[in-house]
Amino acid sequence: MNWISALLGNLTYPAIFLLMLLESTVVPVPSELVVSPAAYHAAGGHLNVLLVVLFATIGADVGASINYVAGYYLGRPIIYKFANSRIGHLCLLNQEKVEKSERYFYDHGVVATLTGRLIPGIRHLISIPAGLSKMPYWKFLLYTTIGAGVWHSILAALGWYMHSFVPEDQLDEQLTIYGDYIKWGIIAIVLLAIAYFVLRHYMKKK
């Protein structure tokens, strides 16, 4: 998609908003290739890093809301039909991925809407089972905003930090390396958070 490449090459606030909206629906736009480079340029004085995080998070909220509404009103059969369609496959989507996000949501409850925003492969789909389960929208939006805000803040901090020692022509390569470390770190944190909530729930029942 040439127009997405054009947006990635010109990261204004509206572009950040639109790209993160797409990333939170079904269009494969890696957030680490948007927020971190934008924060990198913010460190050089071209953007404001707080506004980068703000516009990215609002975009994620709008995109996630689109998925939530689709799940809420269209239902599982139509969602699966789209996931298995040619357009769904072009978006790197299939029924197995949707089912995976559903299992994660139903295994971990409403907190999955927050933690799921931090997990690659789950992040952009977790809003679908939230809609399918008729989760209250205000709660969905609150957890989505917190999860997306945390994730974008981490990516922005990485981009800002890398401005001090990474030349711009090497940025994408270094983001790939550092991004992998961050993903595994985030997954570890999420697992610990889930273990904490499960343990707390178990202790309350006792």
Side-chain angles (χ1 to χ4, degrees), residues 36-49 52 156 159-164:
S36 292
Y40 180 96
H41 293 305
H46 303 293
L47 294 168
N48 181 297
V49 70
V52 167
W160 184 279
Y161 169 68
M162 293 179 72
H163 184 269
S164 61

Side-chain angles (χ1 to χ4, degrees), residues 57-68:
T57 302
I58 294 174
D61 282 345
V62 175
S65 295
I66 292 172
N67 278 3
Y68 172 90

Side-chain angles (χ1 to χ4, degrees), residues 11-21 34-35 38 47 52 55-56 59:
L11 290 174
T12 60
Y13 298 125
I16 293 167
F17 167 84
L18 179 58
L19 288 167
M20 289 300 90
L21 183 157
V34 177
V35 180
L47 294 168
V52 167
F55 276 89

Side-chain angles (χ1 to χ4, degrees), residues 82-199:
F82 173 78
N84 291 324
S85 69
R86 183 177 179 182
I87 296 176
H89 291 164
L90 286 174
C91 295
L92 305 182
L93 192 64
N94 56 49
Q95 183 173 327
E96 182 181 355
K97 290 183 178 179
V98 178
E99 290 176 341
K100 180 181 178 182
S101 70
E102 287 190 80
R103 286 194 299 270
Y104 183 86
F105 181 86
Y106 293 122
D107 286 348
H108 303 103
V110 294
V111 74
T113 310
L114 191 159
T115 58
R117 295 295 311 181
L118 306 175
I119 301 179
I122 295 291
R123 181 166 59 245
H124 65 299
L125 296 177
I126 195 64
S127 47
I128 293 176
L132 290 172
S133 69
K134 304 296 191 289
M135 178 181 180
Y137 180 71
W138 70 266
K139 187 177 292 186
F140 161 79
L141 186 61
L142 174 63
Y143 286 162
T144 298
T145 301
I146 294 172
V150 169
W151 174 240
H152 294 148
S153 296
I154 292 171
L155 293 179
L158 174 64
W160 184 279
Y161 169 68
M162 293 179 72
H163 184 269
S164 61
F165 65 94
V166 175
E168 187 170 357
D169 60 351
Q170 298 178 19
L171 181 60
D172 288 348
E173 178 185 351
Q174 292 299 313
L175 279 174
T176 301
I177 297 171
Y178 280 84
D180 288 339
Y181 292 138
I182 288 179
K183 287 176 184 177
W184 285 111
I186 289 293
I187 289 173
I189 292 171
V190 169
L191 291 176
L192 288 173
I194 291 171
Y196 167 76
F197 283 114
V198 170
L199 181 61

